[in-house]
Amino acid sequence: MDGDDIGQWLQQQKQPTTWTRLLPEQQERLTALGVQPDQAPSPAPAAGHAAKGPSKTQ
């Protein structure tokens, strides 16, 4: 629309960090249009022993 990429804008608004920066009224308006924020990715599982340095037994 007028040179703006609406799809790109919409994807940006759905990002969890962007969604939290929106005013409550903006979030309500987007929700009323059926737009929901993307789910934040789960934190990475804790690294195993392989990621640590050598142990005393090595």
Side-chain angles (χ1 to χ4, degrees):
M1 174 159 212
D2 293 328
D4 294 329
D5 185 345
I6 301 299
Q8 183 178 7
W9 176 86
L10 181 58
Q11 289 303 316
Q12 182 68 30
Q13 302 314 305
K14 294 168 78 175
Q15 295 296 316
T17 54
T18 304
W19 186 269
T20 57
R21 286 185 271 161
L22 295 174
L23 296 173
E25 294 84 11
Q26 292 171 312
Q27 293 176 358
E28 290 173 15
R29 289 177 183 171
L30 288 171
T31 301
L33 294 171
V35 177
Q36 294 293 321
D38 292 336
Q39 296 297 318
S42 301
H49 294 288
K52 294 182 181 180
S55 67
K56 292 181 183 178
T57 59
Q58 293 176 336

